[in-house]
Amino acid sequence: MATFTLASWATNLTYANLTAPVVDAAVKSLYNWAGCAIGGMAQAAPQIALNTSTAAGFGGPPTSGILGLNGTSADAQVAAFVNGIASHVDDYDDTHLAVTIHPTGVVASALLAVAEARSSASSALSPVSGPEFLTAFVAGVEAELKLGLSVYPEHYDVGWHITSTTGSVGAAVAVGKLLGLDTQHLQHAIGIASTQVVGMQAFFGSDTKSFHIGRATQGGMLAALLARGGYTSSPTALEDKYGWLHVVSTRENATATFAELGRGTWEIERNTFKPYPCGIVMHPIIDGAIQLRNETLEQGKDVESIAKIDLRVNPEVLVLTGQTDPQTGLQGKFSIYHAAAVGLLYGAATPAQFTDQVVLNETVVSMRKLVNVTTDDSVAEDQAYVTLTFSDGSTMEKFVEHAIGSLANPLTVEDLKTKFLDQASRQIGSARAAKAYDAFTSIGNLTDVGKLSTLF
Amino acid sequence: MATFTLASWATNLTYANLTAPVVDAAVKSLYNWAGCAIGGMAQAAPQIALNTSTAAGFGGPPTSGILGLNGTSADAQVAAFVNGIASHVDDYDDTHLAVTIHPTGVVASALLAVAEARSSASSALSPVSGPEFLTAFVAGVEAELKLGLSVYPEHYDVGWHITSTTGSVGAAVAVGKLLGLDTQHLQHAIGIASTQVVGMQAFFGSDTKSFHIGRATQGGMLAALLARGGYTSSPTALEDKYGWLHVVSTRENATATFAELGRGTWEIERNTFKPYPCGIVMHPIIDGAIQLRNETLEQGKDVESIAKIDLRVNPEVLVLTGQTDPQTGLQGKFSIYHAAAVGLLYGAATPAQFTDQVVLNETVVSMRKLVNVTTDDSVAEDQAYVTLTFSDGSTMEKFVEHAIGSLANPLTVEDLKTKFLDQASRQIGSARAAKAYDAFTSIGNLTDVGKLSTLF
């Protein structure tokens, strides 16, 4: 029943079903994603992905924008691929903490590219309105998050990158919804998406991590398009004995989880936004380090007089971000040692602190070597203890109860605006960044979301 | 070491390393695949795949041929996708029985499309010669088969479609070899391919089964192209704690298996070719049924006087092909009941016996209902017992020791030619089929494999 339940719920969902907090969370998720996708284009991974597709001649007529490039378009599958990679490459995108899924990247990258293709001159279909777009987006996000919750943590603990493995199903649901598939065709789309399982944790710290997001956008989009064309799959794809739930997990709770769709908790309301472009488990340490830097300076001390840095953290921190000696900016995002060092040295952890240059900087390397990490089950994932010992023997301690950006301590609308403008300005300049902010924050009011990229 | 060992072996492989039996097996594999890809274009699945890609505007400039369509080309990723699907859609392609992998489809579909793109007017690279093509092909096939052997049967038993899950790695190795990647870049390509795990057994009996082959061609091709462009992955992708071998299997023997590459057994020499377009476990039953039909007629009896059909088979037969009441041609390929019925009624099991029409034919349906299946562990997978009981009470029994097409009873060169011409003639006419046969059987002598499709 799981596949049918999901497909049936999604096909029946209307904009009127979305509560105001759901719409608010959806819009925030979308503009936070757009800022990440625009800013992320500065990185090598999305550029190589675009250049490779172009050089290989894989692009059809351009219909859909590359968000971070001025006026550059590609066909929907290439645009979705590149935007998907760009939106995740800085590890700065959103997070549903209960399931460690970054929910917007895969779904939104697929959806915007398809909406733009539909708005292009050659399309015979009507344009996609803001409410239509938001409804399809919420359908896709709820689908991937409920699917993820039904197999978490087993599926994640085996080593799957749960954002992309569930994301392709979310993208298929969202794009299928936009295409107006009926329940049966959407079941086929879910099946075709589910059999493409992309993403393993072995690739965290390399370009392939963000490739997962880009590839899952394409897989979900292709699934919906094929299903519309009559391509058959299995109506019981997810729950089949040899289907997704059993093959990539050891349990099958999806039927029960999907029964909760649209009732009680909307998962998108539990989405959170990162203040720092790196693994979310590192955030409480960064908060603590920045606060301690400020207090150190206030007390007239120098951070260069720090002799020892003790961190007490949740055990998951070392599992995910235990790299002691990162060599690249990307590896720095998976080093709690680097996180503590830059928080103390720069009082900030923006993309500028996760470049190759900063990771290899001698002062940063020296500071990293002072860091000692203890794990403690009683410390929650959004908590941390940071203790500094100075060369004069004095100490300073900070307990972070809820990291900035956590559900209990979320970024404000102002924080989100500052983040967006900072990311986007560096890539497309402050004037266009401001216009892009206006366009994405008002996405729900547009009559043709496919024209969104022309607004900035 | 597994990823390095594989990449290093593949980059160092030369045509001079290939023994005569290896080259012979490679050429047979390729022309058997080409016949399947040409004939398979008659089915809906590859047509929908092509139409969907075209309608969505996903095709770049056409460089690479759709084998079963007269003069139709597409970009390399679309052509590889469609040819991959077409080559598997009839379940008529090759099989490495020890690991139930159909080895040629994914690798050859990717490789030919890339060779054709390289031969196109816009390419700056030199054309691909027959020996180069065969060397890359063998590298890819050995890679996927050794990888499969290292995790068989656990990986298969969980429900993965092992042909596509290993195939994308094989395609990445083959295309990477053709692109001249060094060992380090090929390690990255293997990583990017391995993180795209496509194919579950839930989809056997639907269009999505052949989609797996098409999608894996694209995944492997894209991986090699991205790696050439500098996209990074993990040099220990396969053996990493959260990499392919551990995430999709419960054991990691690949380092030992890869150490055997090019020494001792070349896996491609163990490749076999199907006489019937359906699940290979059904073949001994079809052999027995056809032989019994002939004997029935020789004895002046009528097959309509059969009252009961008893089959004794290996237990795997009912696991894979236990559908008692198929409704489509595709489902008929997964019904041992249908297989026995058409063998007895038509004395043949070609694509013509696996159409929707024949599956729903009343005489066939009645004959299927007479079939009773018993499983027996002592019956090997290429063996079967068939017993007929006639309305007059008389019986007739047949034991098939080794099915036609098995390693012990392989198709002859004449059989392969007949099969190719039968498949290809129905799709492209007998004159072009004969030319295609000449072209593919002499692939090793071509100076530009990219021009192969212009020869027929």
Side-chain angles (χ1 to χ4, degrees):
Chain A
M1 280 296 283
T3 310
F4 172 79
T5 304
L6 173 58
S8 171
W9 173 78
T11 47
N12 288 311
L13 186 70
T14 67
Y15 187 66
N17 298 135
L18 309 185
T19 63
V22 167
V23 170
D24 181 61
V27 173
K28 281 178 181 157
S29 298
L30 284 164
Y31 73 77
N32 179 73
W33 160 78
C36 293
I38 294 170
M41 265 318 287
Q43 298 285 354
Q47 291 174 13
I48 296 173
L50 178 59
N51 295 341
T52 297
S53 302
T54 306
F58 288 173
T63 56
S64 309
I66 308 294
L67 286 174
L69 294 183
N70 201 347
T72 299
S73 292
D75 73 20
Q77 70 173 345
V78 172
F81 182 53
V82 175
N83 287 333
I85 293 172
S87 74
H88 190 61
V89 70
D90 281 324
D91 283 294
Y92 211 176
D93 46 347
D94 52 355
T95 311
H96 187 291
L97 289 155
V99 68
T100 61
I101 286 176
H102 309 290
T104 301
V106 177
V107 175
S109 301
L111 211 49
L112 181 62
V114 170
E116 290 180 289
R118 224 168 96 168
S119 174
S120 70
S122 60
S123 171
L125 296 167
S126 58
V128 178
S129 72
E132 262 184 282
F133 189 89
L134 290 177
T135 309
F137 174 67
V138 170
V141 166
E142 295 298 307
E144 66 180 335
L145 289 171
K146 291 289 193 202
L147 181 61
L149 283 163
S150 82
V151 296
Y152 190 85
E154 290 88 338
H155 173 75
Y156 186 79
D157 289 347
V158 173
W160 291 109
H161 188 187
I162 190 170
T163 293
S164 42
T165 61
T166 63
S168 68
V169 173
V173 168
V175 174
K177 176 89 184 148
L178 210 62
L179 298 175
L181 300 189
D182 63 18
T183 299
Q184 196 190 350
H185 283 81
L186 193 56
Q187 285 171 270
H188 287 300
I190 291 166
I192 303 169
S194 74
T195 201
Q196 305 171 66
V197 193
V198 172
M200 297 175 190
Q201 293 164 21
F203 304 100
F204 286 12
S206 82
D207 292 340
T208 299
K209 180 171 192 254
S210 54
F211 168 83
H212 298 159
I213 308 318
R215 191 60 172 164
T217 67
Q218 293 187 314
M221 178 190 296
L222 180 61
L225 292 167
L226 284 170
R228 180 175 64 171
Y231 211 87
T232 64
S233 169
S234 164
T236 55
L238 296 173
E239 65 272 28
D240 188 278
K241 184 182 171 194
Y242 295 121
W244 199 92
L245 292 163
H246 297 287
V247 174
V248 302
S249 181
T250 52
R251 63 173 182 172
E252 200 278 78
N253 295 333
T255 301
T257 316
F258 288 150
E260 294 300 310
L261 278 161
R263 309 178 204 183
T265 304
W266 290 81
E267 298 304 331
I268 199 166
E269 291 188 56
R270 299 207 281 162
N271 201 15
T272 66
F273 307 103
K274 289 181 176 181
Y276 314 120
C278 56
I280 203 153
V281 294
M282 287 161 51
H283 291 193
I285 286 296
I286 296 172
D287 281 2
I290 292 173
Q291 290 173 44
L292 284 175
R293 174 195 162 84
N294 294 338
E295 291 176 23
T296 300
L297 299 182
E298 281 162 19
Q299 294 185 16
K301 288 183 174 175
D302 195 310
V303 289
E304 283 170 30
S305 66
I306 295 171
K308 191 154 164 278
I309 305 159
D310 289 292
L311 314 180
R312 187 145 58 88
V313 295
N314 181 280
E316 197 65 15
V317 173
L318 279 192
V319 173
L320 295 172
T321 60
Q323 293 212 30
T324 52
D325 190 26
Q327 297 297 310
T328 65
L330 204 49
Q331 290 173 358
K333 290 170 185 282
F334 296 87
S335 169
I336 191 67
Y337 305 91
H338 184 69
V342 297
L344 289 165
L345 283 169
Y346 296 83
T350 70
Q353 278 73 46
F354 294 95
T355 60
D356 293 356
Q357 202 183 359
V358 167
V359 163
L360 297 173
N361 176 283
E362 275 183 33
T363 310
V364 174
V365 173
S366 300
M367 190 66 93
R368 281 205 299 262
K369 288 185 178 158
L370 304 177
V371 175
N372 176 48
V373 184
T374 313
T375 61
D376 181 344
D377 277 326
S378 73
V379 180
E381 283 195 25
D382 65 342
Q383 299 182 332
Y385 292 85
V386 185
T387 307
L388 303 183
T389 306
F390 294 87
S391 50
D392 63 5
S394 67
T395 63
M396 204 179 272
E397 194 185 35
K398 182 63 63 181
F399 170 57
V400 177
E401 195 177 354
H402 296 293
I404 299 171
S406 65
L407 259 183
N409 189 13
L411 293 199
T412 63
V413 169
E414 265 313 304
D415 291 336
L416 285 169
K417 181 174 183 176
T418 304
K419 179 183 171 185
F420 183 100
L421 294 177
D422 173 61
Q423 291 175 290
S425 297
R426 275 180 289 108
Q427 179 67 16
I428 60 174
S430 55
R432 285 189 64 216
K435 285 189 195 169
Y437 177 80
D438 289 342
F440 276 101
T441 51
S442 59
I443 191 167
N445 307 322
L446 299 178
T447 51
D448 181 359
V449 175
K451 291 277 182 283
L452 191 149
S453 289
T454 63
L455 302 177
F456 64 94
Chain B
M1 278 296 284
T3 310
F4 172 79
T5 304
L6 173 57
S8 171
W9 172 79
T11 46
N12 287 312
L13 186 71
T14 67
Y15 187 66
N17 298 135
L18 308 185
T19 63
V22 166
V23 170
D24 180 62
V27 173
K28 281 178 181 157
S29 299
L30 284 164
Y31 73 79
N32 178 74
W33 160 79
C36 294
I38 294 170
M41 265 319 287
Q43 299 284 356
Q47 290 174 13
I48 296 173
L50 178 59
N51 294 341
T52 298
S53 301
T54 306
F58 289 173
T63 57
S64 309
I66 308 295
L67 285 174
L69 294 182
N70 201 349
T72 300
S73 292
D75 73 19
Q77 70 173 345
V78 172
F81 182 53
V82 175
N83 287 332
I85 292 172
S87 74
H88 190 61
V89 71
D90 282 323
D91 284 295
Y92 212 175
D93 48 346
D94 52 355
T95 311
H96 187 291
L97 290 155
V99 68
T100 61
I101 287 176
H102 309 291
T104 300
V106 178
V107 176
S109 300
L111 211 48
L112 182 62
V114 171
E116 289 180 290
R118 224 168 95 168
S119 174
S120 69
S122 60
S123 170
L125 296 167
S126 59
V128 178
S129 72
E132 261 184 283
F133 189 89
L134 291 176
T135 308
F137 174 67
V138 170
V141 167
E142 295 297 308
E144 67 181 333
L145 289 170
K146 292 291 192 198
L147 181 61
L149 283 164
S150 81
V151 295
Y152 189 86
E154 290 87 339
H155 172 74
Y156 186 80
D157 289 347
V158 172
W160 291 109
H161 188 186
I162 190 170
T163 294
S164 41
T165 60
T166 63
S168 67
V169 173
V173 168
V175 173
K177 175 90 185 149
L178 211 61
L179 298 176
L181 300 189
D182 62 20
T183 299
Q184 196 191 351
H185 283 81
L186 193 55
Q187 285 171 270
H188 287 300
I190 290 167
I192 303 169
S194 74
T195 201
Q196 304 171 67
V197 193
V198 172
M200 296 174 190
Q201 293 164 21
F203 304 100
F204 285 12
S206 83
D207 293 340
T208 300
K209 181 173 192 254
S210 54
F211 169 83
H212 298 159
I213 308 321
R215 192 59 172 164
T217 68
Q218 293 187 314
M221 178 191 296
L222 180 60
L225 291 167
L226 283 172
R228 181 176 61 172
Y231 211 87
T232 64
S233 169
S234 164
T236 55
L238 296 173
E239 66 271 27
D240 187 279
K241 184 182 171 193
Y242 294 121
W244 199 92
L245 291 163
H246 297 287
V247 174
V248 302
S249 181
T250 53
R251 63 173 183 172
E252 200 278 78
N253 295 333
T255 301
T257 316
F258 288 151
E260 294 300 309
L261 278 161
R263 309 178 204 183
T265 304
W266 290 81
E267 297 305 331
I268 198 165
E269 290 189 56
R270 299 207 281 164
N271 201 16
T272 66
F273 307 103
K274 288 181 177 181
Y276 314 119
C278 56
I280 204 154
V281 292
M282 287 160 54
H283 291 195
I285 286 296
I286 296 172
D287 281 2
I290 292 173
Q291 290 174 44
L292 284 174
R293 174 194 162 84
N294 293 339
E295 290 177 24
T296 300
L297 298 182
E298 280 162 20
Q299 293 185 18
K301 289 183 174 174
D302 196 311
V303 289
E304 284 170 28
S305 65
I306 296 171
K308 192 154 163 278
I309 305 159
D310 289 292
L311 314 180
R312 187 146 57 88
V313 296
N314 180 281
E316 197 65 13
V317 172
L318 279 191
V319 173
L320 295 172
T321 61
Q323 294 213 29
T324 52
D325 190 26
Q327 297 298 311
T328 65
L330 204 49
Q331 289 172 356
K333 291 170 183 281
F334 296 87
S335 168
I336 190 69
Y337 306 90
H338 185 69
V342 298
L344 289 164
L345 282 168
Y346 296 84
T350 70
Q353 278 72 46
F354 294 95
T355 61
D356 293 356
Q357 204 183 358
V358 167
V359 162
L360 296 173
N361 176 283
E362 276 183 33
T363 310
V364 174
V365 173
S366 300
M367 190 65 95
R368 280 205 298 263
K369 288 184 178 158
L370 304 178
V371 176
N372 177 48
V373 184
T374 315
T375 61
D376 182 344
D377 277 328
S378 73
V379 180
E381 283 194 26
D382 66 342
Q383 298 183 333
Y385 292 86
V386 185
T387 307
L388 304 183
T389 306
F390 292 88
S391 49
D392 63 4
S394 66
T395 63
M396 205 179 271
E397 195 185 36
K398 183 63 64 183
F399 170 59
V400 176
E401 196 179 352
H402 296 294
I404 300 170
S406 65
L407 258 182
N409 189 14
L411 293 198
T412 63
V413 169
E414 265 313 303
D415 292 336
L416 285 169
K417 181 175 183 177
T418 303
K419 178 183 171 185
F420 183 99
L421 294 176
D422 173 61
Q423 292 175 289
S425 297
R426 274 181 289 108
Q427 179 68 14
I428 58 174
S430 55
R432 284 188 66 216
K435 284 189 197 170
Y437 177 79
D438 289 342
F440 276 100
T441 51
S442 58
I443 192 168
N445 307 322
L446 298 178
T447 51
D448 181 359
V449 174
K451 292 277 182 283
L452 191 148
S453 290
T454 64
L455 301 177
F456 65 95

